[in-house]
Amino acid sequence: MPHKITGVLLRPTAPRGTSAVALAALTALVLTACSGSGVHGTPGADGLRDPYFPKLGNGGYDVAHYDLTLGYDPDARHLTGTAEVTARATQDLSAFNLDFKGLDVKGVTVEGKDATFHRDGQELTIRPPDDLDKGETFRTTVRYSGTPETITDPDDSEEGWLRTEGGALALGEPTGSMAWFPANNHPSDKASYDIRVTVPEGLQAISNGELTRESTKNGRTTFAWHSAEPMASYLATVAIGAYDVKKSTTKSGVPVLTAVDPDEAKDSAKALRRIPEIIEWQELNFGPYPFSSTGAIVDREEAAGYALETQTRPTFPGAPDTELVVHELAHQWFGNSVTPKSWRDMWLNEGFATYAEWLWEEDHDGDSVQETFDSVYADDYYEDAKDNEAIWAFPPAKPPSAAKISDSPVYERGGMVIHKIRQAVGDDTFYDIVQGWTKSHRHGNADTEDFTRYVEKHAGGEAAREKVRAIWGPWLYGEGKPDRP
């Protein structure tokens, strides 16, 4: 357990021969001194007890805004950073934690005053000079530097700060953001962001949201990015490299910015040109686009082993095909705007994004969703029999461990749950449910129980509600392949 610095009630020991009256007076004096120092809070929790990552996140406060100022030297692999974290105390606080792994902390202030701090693993415990009252808004500033870490996930994938050819790529799902900035690193605490990154002249630094400033001085260029809508920490990104940057807009006026490694530009062009079309199609199906910009980052294939739905600007290792772009952009609704309360609810992200791929194919002269569903159920969706068997390894809402939260059942079987709902209620009600879900939980958090309750409420009559209730047991929570539909 990380070391906690707490207020201590002093119990004075009277010198031999001291009277009871004198002892009482001394005790009163000490108590008055303690009361006057403002020691009345307790430490915030050092983890939110997530089912798979119990030490991620912290209790006692809610973050409103992150203001990150970063400088990176790719040759030396050296990162300098200042993180200003604006938060509101949700209890009387004597101390609180931020998730932060590696890098050297140079100093911490709370409300401009020096604060004591202690580090233990990923926990940065901060003791402000004055206790914080419940409801109080406070600003914590952490100065740090060093070589940021690459973190290996339980499933052996790599995230955190990834070194690339001539630059870096920061990816955060599920734990990696704490490798490059201190945060309340759990999807349940979303905030707005300002991210400024200074890099050697000739390189770009791409991040989430909108570029508000670009300036060059003394051979270094600073890029300032602003994300006004709430964002979970795992969706924040920084990509540093020599990118081809292009801008356009969707028909509804949403700005599109793509940043592509020149080696991937030719093979990426076809899919990326379709981003405005994809967004328009997704708005028709899922409701209004939830953010103020969109786009993509395409790095070299060796940069990472996976694509990721980083907010407003998904990242791809190598040139993506259209279906993968559809998947990651669908996450802007499912996962980024409507964010899971815990990592147990990953299927709400991936099931919907997988279903988006199936819908796209259905609407663009490919297999119908029903044909895709039947193929998955018949175990001939993949060429390799082991991949087909893996779909039924566990229920989508009950991954057995942290290493399994991104496994096949969360994706394909999650998509099958969505299709079972569509079958049960019919197309008109289904799209009303999907668009109502994204609207009612826009920029918020939700879990599986919230979703099933919402679907039941809006399914229609009692007969339809009975049909959807019959889905949850075998398809969402049941072990093995359900009986043939």
Side-chain angles (χ1 to χ4, degrees), residues 149-185:
E149 293 187 13
T150 296
I151 295 173
T152 301
D153 283 338
D155 66 0
D156 292 328
S157 61
E158 292 186 336
E159 54 172 307
W161 193 269
L162 308 178
R163 188 177 187 181
T164 62
E165 185 69 28
L169 179 62
L171 299 176
E173 185 178 328
T175 69
S177 294
M178 62 185 175
W180 58 284
F181 70 98
N184 196 15
N185 192 25

PDB file of all heavy atoms in Angstrom, residues 149-185:
ATOM      1  N   GLU A 149       8.154   5.667 -20.026  1.00  0.00           N
ATOM      2  CA  GLU A 149       8.149   4.220 -20.136  1.00  0.00           C
ATOM      3  C   GLU A 149       7.183   3.715 -21.211  1.00  0.00           C
ATOM      4  O   GLU A 149       6.186   4.343 -21.519  1.00  0.00           O
ATOM      5  CB  GLU A 149       7.726   3.582 -18.801  1.00  0.00           C
ATOM      6  CG  GLU A 149       8.701   3.781 -17.668  1.00  0.00           C
ATOM      7  CD  GLU A 149       8.301   2.981 -16.439  1.00  0.00           C
ATOM      8  OE1 GLU A 149       7.413   2.094 -16.559  1.00  0.00           O
ATOM      9  OE2 GLU A 149       8.866   3.229 -15.369  1.00  0.00           O
ATOM     10  N   THR A 150       7.520   2.549 -21.734  1.00  0.00           N
ATOM     11  CA  THR A 150       6.570   1.737 -22.479  1.00  0.00           C
ATOM     12  C   THR A 150       6.026   0.695 -21.517  1.00  0.00           C
ATOM     13  O   THR A 150       6.791   0.011 -20.836  1.00  0.00           O
ATOM     14  CB  THR A 150       7.230   1.060 -23.683  1.00  0.00           C
ATOM     15  OG1 THR A 150       7.671   2.069 -24.600  1.00  0.00           O
ATOM     16  CG2 THR A 150       6.269   0.131 -24.388  1.00  0.00           C
ATOM     17  N   ILE A 151       4.713   0.600 -21.425  1.00  0.00           N
ATOM     18  CA  ILE A 151       4.068  -0.304 -20.478  1.00  0.00           C
ATOM     19  C   ILE A 151       3.546  -1.526 -21.233  1.00  0.00           C
ATOM     20  O   ILE A 151       2.942  -1.400 -22.304  1.00  0.00           O
ATOM     21  CB  ILE A 151       2.898   0.412 -19.765  1.00  0.00           C
ATOM     22  CG1 ILE A 151       3.439   1.555 -18.910  1.00  0.00           C
ATOM     23  CG2 ILE A 151       2.086  -0.560 -18.919  1.00  0.00           C
ATOM     24  CD1 ILE A 151       2.359   2.424 -18.291  1.00  0.00           C
ATOM     25  N   THR A 152       3.798  -2.700 -20.692  1.00  0.00           N
ATOM     26  CA  THR A 152       3.270  -3.930 -21.271  1.00  0.00           C
ATOM     27  C   THR A 152       1.995  -4.318 -20.545  1.00  0.00           C
ATOM     28  O   THR A 152       1.978  -4.467 -19.325  1.00  0.00           O
ATOM     29  CB  THR A 152       4.291  -5.079 -21.174  1.00  0.00           C
ATOM     30  OG1 THR A 152       5.491  -4.698 -21.867  1.00  0.00           O
ATOM     31  CG2 THR A 152       3.735  -6.349 -21.803  1.00  0.00           C
ATOM     32  N   ASP A 153       0.921  -4.469 -21.295  1.00  0.00           N
ATOM     33  CA  ASP A 153      -0.385  -4.814 -20.747  1.00  0.00           C
ATOM     34  C   ASP A 153      -0.435  -6.277 -20.315  1.00  0.00           C
ATOM     35  O   ASP A 153       0.415  -7.078 -20.720  1.00  0.00           O
ATOM     36  CB  ASP A 153      -1.471  -4.589 -21.793  1.00  0.00           C
ATOM     37  CG  ASP A 153      -1.825  -3.133 -21.975  1.00  0.00           C
ATOM     38  OD1 ASP A 153      -1.552  -2.366 -21.053  1.00  0.00           O
ATOM     39  OD2 ASP A 153      -2.352  -2.785 -23.040  1.00  0.00           O
ATOM     40  N   PRO A 154      -1.479  -6.647 -19.548  1.00  0.00           N
ATOM     41  CA  PRO A 154      -1.663  -8.059 -19.214  1.00  0.00           C
ATOM     42  C   PRO A 154      -1.800  -8.953 -20.442  1.00  0.00           C
ATOM     43  O   PRO A 154      -1.499 -10.148 -20.377  1.00  0.00           O
ATOM     44  CB  PRO A 154      -2.957  -8.053 -18.388  1.00  0.00           C
ATOM     45  CG  PRO A 154      -2.977  -6.707 -17.743  1.00  0.00           C
ATOM     46  CD  PRO A 154      -2.414  -5.782 -18.784  1.00  0.00           C
ATOM     47  N   ASP A 155      -2.262  -8.385 -21.582  1.00  0.00           N
ATOM     48  CA  ASP A 155      -2.374  -9.207 -22.796  1.00  0.00           C
ATOM     49  C   ASP A 155      -1.117  -9.137 -23.656  1.00  0.00           C
ATOM     50  O   ASP A 155      -1.122  -9.577 -24.814  1.00  0.00           O
ATOM     51  CB  ASP A 155      -3.605  -8.796 -23.609  1.00  0.00           C
ATOM     52  CG  ASP A 155      -3.500  -7.380 -24.169  1.00  0.00           C
ATOM     53  OD1 ASP A 155      -2.474  -6.707 -23.926  1.00  0.00           O
ATOM     54  OD2 ASP A 155      -4.443  -6.931 -24.847  1.00  0.00           O
ATOM     55  N   ASP A 156      -0.042  -8.575 -23.098  1.00  0.00           N
ATOM     56  CA  ASP A 156       1.281  -8.485 -23.729  1.00  0.00           C
ATOM     57  C   ASP A 156       1.377  -7.429 -24.827  1.00  0.00           C
ATOM     58  O   ASP A 156       2.417  -7.319 -25.490  1.00  0.00           O
ATOM     59  CB  ASP A 156       1.737  -9.842 -24.294  1.00  0.00           C
ATOM     60  CG  ASP A 156       2.019 -10.857 -23.191  1.00  0.00           C
ATOM     61  OD1 ASP A 156       2.451 -10.442 -22.103  1.00  0.00           O
ATOM     62  OD2 ASP A 156       1.803 -12.059 -23.434  1.00  0.00           O
ATOM     63  N   SER A 157       0.334  -6.632 -25.045  1.00  0.00           N
ATOM     64  CA  SER A 157       0.468  -5.511 -25.972  1.00  0.00           C
ATOM     65  C   SER A 157       1.179  -4.359 -25.264  1.00  0.00           C
ATOM     66  O   SER A 157       1.251  -4.312 -24.032  1.00  0.00           O
ATOM     67  CB  SER A 157      -0.911  -5.059 -26.467  1.00  0.00           C
ATOM     68  OG  SER A 157      -1.714  -4.631 -25.383  1.00  0.00           O
ATOM     69  N   GLU A 158       1.720  -3.432 -26.055  1.00  0.00           N
ATOM     70  CA  GLU A 158       2.495  -2.326 -25.496  1.00  0.00           C
ATOM     71  C   GLU A 158       1.752  -1.004 -25.668  1.00  0.00           C
ATOM     72  O   GLU A 158       1.102  -0.771 -26.685  1.00  0.00           O
ATOM     73  CB  GLU A 158       3.868  -2.244 -26.158  1.00  0.00           C
ATOM     74  CG  GLU A 158       4.775  -3.422 -25.807  1.00  0.00           C
ATOM     75  CD  GLU A 158       6.173  -3.252 -26.354  1.00  0.00           C
ATOM     76  OE1 GLU A 158       6.342  -2.503 -27.349  1.00  0.00           O
ATOM     77  OE2 GLU A 158       7.104  -3.862 -25.800  1.00  0.00           O
ATOM     78  N   GLU A 159       1.868  -0.170 -24.661  1.00  0.00           N
ATOM     79  CA  GLU A 159       1.243   1.150 -24.681  1.00  0.00           C
ATOM     80  C   GLU A 159       2.110   2.097 -23.877  1.00  0.00           C
ATOM     81  O   GLU A 159       3.253   1.811 -23.568  1.00  0.00           O
ATOM     82  CB  GLU A 159      -0.172   1.063 -24.110  1.00  0.00           C
ATOM     83  CG  GLU A 159      -0.214   0.437 -22.726  1.00  0.00           C
ATOM     84  CD  GLU A 159      -1.578   0.529 -22.092  1.00  0.00           C
ATOM     85  OE1 GLU A 159      -2.110   1.646 -22.037  1.00  0.00           O
ATOM     86  OE2 GLU A 159      -2.083  -0.498 -21.627  1.00  0.00           O
ATOM     87  N   GLY A 160       1.544   3.247 -23.510  1.00  0.00           N
ATOM     88  CA  GLY A 160       2.340   4.256 -22.808  1.00  0.00           C
ATOM     89  C   GLY A 160       3.016   5.147 -23.822  1.00  0.00           C
ATOM     90  O   GLY A 160       2.374   5.677 -24.739  1.00  0.00           O
ATOM     91  N   TRP A 161       4.322   5.317 -23.696  1.00  0.00           N
ATOM     92  CA  TRP A 161       5.083   6.171 -24.610  1.00  0.00           C
ATOM     93  C   TRP A 161       5.905   5.255 -25.518  1.00  0.00           C
ATOM     94  O   TRP A 161       6.868   4.645 -25.090  1.00  0.00           O
ATOM     95  CB  TRP A 161       5.990   7.110 -23.825  1.00  0.00           C
ATOM     96  CG  TRP A 161       6.578   8.233 -24.626  1.00  0.00           C
ATOM     97  CD1 TRP A 161       7.765   8.220 -25.280  1.00  0.00           C
ATOM     98  CD2 TRP A 161       5.997   9.534 -24.852  1.00  0.00           C
ATOM     99  NE1 TRP A 161       7.977   9.431 -25.904  1.00  0.00           N
ATOM    100  CE2 TRP A 161       6.911  10.266 -25.648  1.00  0.00           C
ATOM    101  CE3 TRP A 161       4.821  10.151 -24.454  1.00  0.00           C
ATOM    102  CZ2 TRP A 161       6.673  11.573 -26.054  1.00  0.00           C
ATOM    103  CZ3 TRP A 161       4.574  11.453 -24.864  1.00  0.00           C
ATOM    104  CH2 TRP A 161       5.493  12.155 -25.648  1.00  0.00           C
ATOM    105  N   LEU A 162       5.500   5.157 -26.789  1.00  0.00           N
ATOM    106  CA  LEU A 162       6.142   4.240 -27.732  1.00  0.00           C
ATOM    107  C   LEU A 162       7.090   5.010 -28.631  1.00  0.00           C
ATOM    108  O   LEU A 162       6.699   5.995 -29.267  1.00  0.00           O
ATOM    109  CB  LEU A 162       5.076   3.541 -28.587  1.00  0.00           C
ATOM    110  CG  LEU A 162       3.936   2.857 -27.836  1.00  0.00           C
ATOM    111  CD1 LEU A 162       2.946   2.255 -28.818  1.00  0.00           C
ATOM    112  CD2 LEU A 162       4.469   1.792 -26.895  1.00  0.00           C
ATOM    113  N   ARG A 163       8.311   4.567 -28.685  1.00  0.00           N
ATOM    114  CA  ARG A 163       9.282   5.213 -29.564  1.00  0.00           C
ATOM    115  C   ARG A 163       9.007   4.817 -31.005  1.00  0.00           C
ATOM    116  O   ARG A 163       8.759   3.643 -31.306  1.00  0.00           O
ATOM    117  CB  ARG A 163      10.693   4.805 -29.167  1.00  0.00           C
ATOM    118  CG  ARG A 163      11.784   5.576 -29.904  1.00  0.00           C
ATOM    119  CD  ARG A 163      13.163   5.169 -29.419  1.00  0.00           C
ATOM    120  NE  ARG A 163      14.209   6.015 -29.990  1.00  0.00           N
ATOM    121  CZ  ARG A 163      15.499   5.861 -29.754  1.00  0.00           C
ATOM    122  NH1 ARG A 163      15.909   4.892 -28.942  1.00  0.00           N
ATOM    123  NH2 ARG A 163      16.383   6.663 -30.307  1.00  0.00           N
ATOM    124  N   THR A 164       9.035   5.786 -31.912  1.00  0.00           N
ATOM    125  CA  THR A 164       8.828   5.526 -33.332  1.00  0.00           C
ATOM    126  C   THR A 164      10.021   6.049 -34.119  1.00  0.00           C
ATOM    127  O   THR A 164      10.942   6.658 -33.550  1.00  0.00           O
ATOM    128  CB  THR A 164       7.545   6.220 -33.840  1.00  0.00           C
ATOM    129  OG1 THR A 164       7.682   7.640 -33.674  1.00  0.00           O
ATOM    130  CG2 THR A 164       6.328   5.739 -33.067  1.00  0.00           C
ATOM    131  N   GLU A 165      10.011   5.801 -35.417  1.00  0.00           N
ATOM    132  CA  GLU A 165      11.089   6.278 -36.269  1.00  0.00           C
ATOM    133  C   GLU A 165      11.080   7.802 -36.294  1.00  0.00           C
ATOM    134  O   GLU A 165      10.220   8.424 -36.926  1.00  0.00           O
ATOM    135  CB  GLU A 165      10.908   5.726 -37.687  1.00  0.00           C
ATOM    136  CG  GLU A 165      12.043   6.074 -38.642  1.00  0.00           C
ATOM    137  CD  GLU A 165      13.343   5.353 -38.303  1.00  0.00           C
ATOM    138  OE1 GLU A 165      13.266   4.243 -37.732  1.00  0.00           O
ATOM    139  OE2 GLU A 165      14.416   5.912 -38.604  1.00  0.00           O
ATOM    140  N   GLY A 166      11.982   8.410 -35.561  1.00  0.00           N
ATOM    141  CA  GLY A 166      12.093   9.864 -35.546  1.00  0.00           C
ATOM    142  C   GLY A 166      11.144  10.573 -34.618  1.00  0.00           C
ATOM    143  O   GLY A 166      11.056  11.793 -34.630  1.00  0.00           O
ATOM    144  N   GLY A 167      10.402   9.834 -33.778  1.00  0.00           N
ATOM    145  CA  GLY A 167       9.456  10.510 -32.906  1.00  0.00           C
ATOM    146  C   GLY A 167       8.917   9.624 -31.807  1.00  0.00           C
ATOM    147  O   GLY A 167       9.652   8.833 -31.207  1.00  0.00           O
ATOM    148  N   ALA A 168       7.624   9.726 -31.544  1.00  0.00           N
ATOM    149  CA  ALA A 168       7.000   8.949 -30.469  1.00  0.00           C
ATOM    150  C   ALA A 168       5.500   8.910 -30.689  1.00  0.00           C
ATOM    151  O   ALA A 168       4.926   9.757 -31.395  1.00  0.00           O
ATOM    152  CB  ALA A 168       7.316   9.564 -29.107  1.00  0.00           C
ATOM    153  N   LEU A 169       4.860   7.930 -30.066  1.00  0.00           N
ATOM    154  CA  LEU A 169       3.413   7.792 -30.112  1.00  0.00           C
ATOM    155  C   LEU A 169       2.933   7.401 -28.718  1.00  0.00           C
ATOM    156  O   LEU A 169       3.381   6.392 -28.166  1.00  0.00           O
ATOM    157  CB  LEU A 169       3.009   6.725 -31.130  1.00  0.00           C
ATOM    158  CG  LEU A 169       1.518   6.427 -31.282  1.00  0.00           C
ATOM    159  CD1 LEU A 169       0.771   7.668 -31.755  1.00  0.00           C
ATOM    160  CD2 LEU A 169       1.309   5.265 -32.251  1.00  0.00           C
ATOM    161  N   ALA A 170       2.058   8.217 -28.137  1.00  0.00           N
ATOM    162  CA  ALA A 170       1.534   7.959 -26.794  1.00  0.00           C
ATOM    163  C   ALA A 170       0.143   7.358 -26.902  1.00  0.00           C
ATOM    164  O   ALA A 170      -0.765   7.984 -27.452  1.00  0.00           O
ATOM    165  CB  ALA A 170       1.491   9.253 -25.980  1.00  0.00           C
ATOM    166  N   LEU A 171      -0.020   6.137 -26.373  1.00  0.00           N
ATOM    167  CA  LEU A 171      -1.299   5.434 -26.387  1.00  0.00           C
ATOM    168  C   LEU A 171      -1.637   4.996 -24.972  1.00  0.00           C
ATOM    169  O   LEU A 171      -0.745   4.608 -24.209  1.00  0.00           O
ATOM    170  CB  LEU A 171      -1.246   4.215 -27.319  1.00  0.00           C
ATOM    171  CG  LEU A 171      -0.944   4.512 -28.793  1.00  0.00           C
ATOM    172  CD1 LEU A 171      -0.828   3.214 -29.587  1.00  0.00           C
ATOM    173  CD2 LEU A 171      -2.007   5.409 -29.405  1.00  0.00           C
ATOM    174  N   GLY A 172      -2.923   5.008 -24.624  1.00  0.00           N
ATOM    175  CA  GLY A 172      -3.254   4.869 -23.211  1.00  0.00           C
ATOM    176  C   GLY A 172      -4.198   3.772 -22.794  1.00  0.00           C
ATOM    177  O   GLY A 172      -4.516   3.678 -21.616  1.00  0.00           O
ATOM    178  N   GLU A 173      -4.718   2.931 -23.684  1.00  0.00           N
ATOM    179  CA  GLU A 173      -5.726   1.954 -23.263  1.00  0.00           C
ATOM    180  C   GLU A 173      -5.086   0.627 -22.879  1.00  0.00           C
ATOM    181  O   GLU A 173      -4.398   0.019 -23.693  1.00  0.00           O
ATOM    182  CB  GLU A 173      -6.742   1.713 -24.394  1.00  0.00           C
ATOM    183  CG  GLU A 173      -7.879   0.804 -23.979  1.00  0.00           C
ATOM    184  CD  GLU A 173      -8.919   0.596 -25.069  1.00  0.00           C
ATOM    185  OE1 GLU A 173      -9.142   1.518 -25.877  1.00  0.00           O
ATOM    186  OE2 GLU A 173      -9.490  -0.491 -25.113  1.00  0.00           O
ATOM    187  N   PRO A 174      -5.318   0.148 -21.637  1.00  0.00           N
ATOM    188  CA  PRO A 174      -6.147   0.769 -20.598  1.00  0.00           C
ATOM    189  C   PRO A 174      -5.366   1.581 -19.554  1.00  0.00           C
ATOM    190  O   PRO A 174      -5.953   2.354 -18.819  1.00  0.00           O
ATOM    191  CB  PRO A 174      -6.786  -0.454 -19.923  1.00  0.00           C
ATOM    192  CG  PRO A 174      -5.740  -1.515 -20.058  1.00  0.00           C
ATOM    193  CD  PRO A 174      -5.045  -1.260 -21.358  1.00  0.00           C
ATOM    194  N   THR A 175      -4.031   1.424 -19.473  1.00  0.00           N
ATOM    195  CA  THR A 175      -3.301   2.030 -18.356  1.00  0.00           C
ATOM    196  C   THR A 175      -2.227   3.020 -18.777  1.00  0.00           C
ATOM    197  O   THR A 175      -1.663   3.705 -17.937  1.00  0.00           O
ATOM    198  CB  THR A 175      -2.611   0.933 -17.504  1.00  0.00           C
ATOM    199  OG1 THR A 175      -1.531   0.339 -18.249  1.00  0.00           O
ATOM    200  CG2 THR A 175      -3.592  -0.158 -17.102  1.00  0.00           C
ATOM    201  N   GLY A 176      -1.921   3.126 -20.068  1.00  0.00           N
ATOM    202  CA  GLY A 176      -0.673   3.741 -20.506  1.00  0.00           C
ATOM    203  C   GLY A 176      -0.529   5.230 -20.331  1.00  0.00           C
ATOM    204  O   GLY A 176       0.595   5.745 -20.367  1.00  0.00           O
ATOM    205  N   SER A 177      -1.614   5.975 -20.140  1.00  0.00           N
ATOM    206  CA  SER A 177      -1.473   7.431 -20.038  1.00  0.00           C
ATOM    207  C   SER A 177      -0.622   7.862 -18.861  1.00  0.00           C
ATOM    208  O   SER A 177       0.028   8.908 -18.904  1.00  0.00           O
ATOM    209  CB  SER A 177      -2.865   8.077 -19.947  1.00  0.00           C
ATOM    210  OG  SER A 177      -3.588   7.885 -21.138  1.00  0.00           O
ATOM    211  N   MET A 178      -0.593   7.046 -17.803  1.00  0.00           N
ATOM    212  CA  MET A 178       0.195   7.423 -16.633  1.00  0.00           C
ATOM    213  C   MET A 178       1.693   7.365 -16.911  1.00  0.00           C
ATOM    214  O   MET A 178       2.489   7.798 -16.082  1.00  0.00           O
ATOM    215  CB  MET A 178      -0.154   6.530 -15.447  1.00  0.00           C
ATOM    216  CG  MET A 178       0.140   5.061 -15.633  1.00  0.00           C
ATOM    217  SD  MET A 178      -0.451   4.121 -14.199  1.00  0.00           S
ATOM    218  CE  MET A 178      -0.117   2.442 -14.748  1.00  0.00           C
ATOM    219  N   ALA A 179       2.091   6.893 -18.081  1.00  0.00           N
ATOM    220  CA  ALA A 179       3.511   6.895 -18.443  1.00  0.00           C
ATOM    221  C   ALA A 179       3.984   8.262 -18.905  1.00  0.00           C
ATOM    222  O   ALA A 179       5.191   8.505 -18.955  1.00  0.00           O
ATOM    223  CB  ALA A 179       3.783   5.863 -19.541  1.00  0.00           C
ATOM    224  N   TRP A 180       3.024   9.185 -19.232  1.00  0.00           N
ATOM    225  CA  TRP A 180       3.485  10.491 -19.730  1.00  0.00           C
ATOM    226  C   TRP A 180       2.802  11.679 -19.077  1.00  0.00           C
ATOM    227  O   TRP A 180       3.244  12.812 -19.269  1.00  0.00           O
ATOM    228  CB  TRP A 180       3.379  10.560 -21.253  1.00  0.00           C
ATOM    229  CG  TRP A 180       2.033  10.329 -21.862  1.00  0.00           C
ATOM    230  CD1 TRP A 180       1.392   9.137 -22.026  1.00  0.00           C
ATOM    231  CD2 TRP A 180       1.169  11.312 -22.437  1.00  0.00           C
ATOM    232  NE1 TRP A 180       0.176   9.317 -22.662  1.00  0.00           N
ATOM    233  CE2 TRP A 180       0.017  10.639 -22.931  1.00  0.00           C
ATOM    234  CE3 TRP A 180       1.248  12.699 -22.596  1.00  0.00           C
ATOM    235  CZ2 TRP A 180      -1.036  11.296 -23.549  1.00  0.00           C
ATOM    236  CZ3 TRP A 180       0.200  13.364 -23.217  1.00  0.00           C
ATOM    237  CH2 TRP A 180      -0.921  12.668 -23.691  1.00  0.00           C
ATOM    238  N   PHE A 181       1.760  11.466 -18.280  1.00  0.00           N
ATOM    239  CA  PHE A 181       1.248  12.567 -17.465  1.00  0.00           C
ATOM    240  C   PHE A 181       0.503  12.008 -16.253  1.00  0.00           C
ATOM    241  O   PHE A 181      -0.106  10.944 -16.319  1.00  0.00           O
ATOM    242  CB  PHE A 181       0.359  13.520 -18.274  1.00  0.00           C
ATOM    243  CG  PHE A 181      -0.979  12.963 -18.706  1.00  0.00           C
ATOM    244  CD1 PHE A 181      -2.138  13.243 -17.983  1.00  0.00           C
ATOM    245  CD2 PHE A 181      -1.098  12.182 -19.848  1.00  0.00           C
ATOM    246  CE1 PHE A 181      -3.377  12.761 -18.388  1.00  0.00           C
ATOM    247  CE2 PHE A 181      -2.330  11.701 -20.266  1.00  0.00           C
ATOM    248  CZ  PHE A 181      -3.473  11.990 -19.528  1.00  0.00           C
ATOM    249  N   PRO A 182       0.577  12.727 -15.107  1.00  0.00           N
ATOM    250  CA  PRO A 182      -0.129  12.291 -13.903  1.00  0.00           C
ATOM    251  C   PRO A 182      -1.615  12.576 -14.035  1.00  0.00           C
ATOM    252  O   PRO A 182      -2.017  13.656 -14.479  1.00  0.00           O
ATOM    253  CB  PRO A 182       0.517  13.121 -12.793  1.00  0.00           C
ATOM    254  CG  PRO A 182       0.997  14.362 -13.484  1.00  0.00           C
ATOM    255  CD  PRO A 182       1.369  13.950 -14.877  1.00  0.00           C
ATOM    256  N   ALA A 183      -2.446  11.598 -13.609  1.00  0.00           N
ATOM    257  CA  ALA A 183      -3.884  11.748 -13.856  1.00  0.00           C
ATOM    258  C   ALA A 183      -4.683  10.886 -12.897  1.00  0.00           C
ATOM    259  O   ALA A 183      -4.138  10.005 -12.215  1.00  0.00           O
ATOM    260  CB  ALA A 183      -4.213  11.340 -15.298  1.00  0.00           C
ATOM    261  N   ASN A 184      -5.964  11.149 -12.858  1.00  0.00           N
ATOM    262  CA  ASN A 184      -6.912  10.213 -12.265  1.00  0.00           C
ATOM    263  C   ASN A 184      -7.257   9.235 -13.380  1.00  0.00           C
ATOM    264  O   ASN A 184      -8.240   9.399 -14.101  1.00  0.00           O
ATOM    265  CB  ASN A 184      -8.155  10.940 -11.752  1.00  0.00           C
ATOM    266  CG  ASN A 184      -8.966  10.091 -10.805  1.00  0.00           C
ATOM    267  OD1 ASN A 184      -8.503   9.077 -10.290  1.00  0.00           O
ATOM    268  ND2 ASN A 184     -10.199  10.498 -10.550  1.00  0.00           N
ATOM    269  N   ASN A 185      -6.440   8.218 -13.528  1.00  0.00           N
ATOM    270  CA  ASN A 185      -6.349   7.421 -14.751  1.00  0.00           C
ATOM    271  C   ASN A 185      -7.379   6.294 -14.778  1.00  0.00           C
ATOM    272  O   ASN A 185      -7.037   5.114 -14.738  1.00  0.00           O
ATOM    273  CB  ASN A 185      -4.925   6.864 -14.883  1.00  0.00           C
ATOM    274  CG  ASN A 185      -4.657   6.276 -16.255  1.00  0.00           C
ATOM    275  OD1 ASN A 185      -5.294   6.644 -17.227  1.00  0.00           O
ATOM    276  ND2 ASN A 185      -3.704   5.363 -16.327  1.00  0.00           N
TER     277      ASN A 185
END
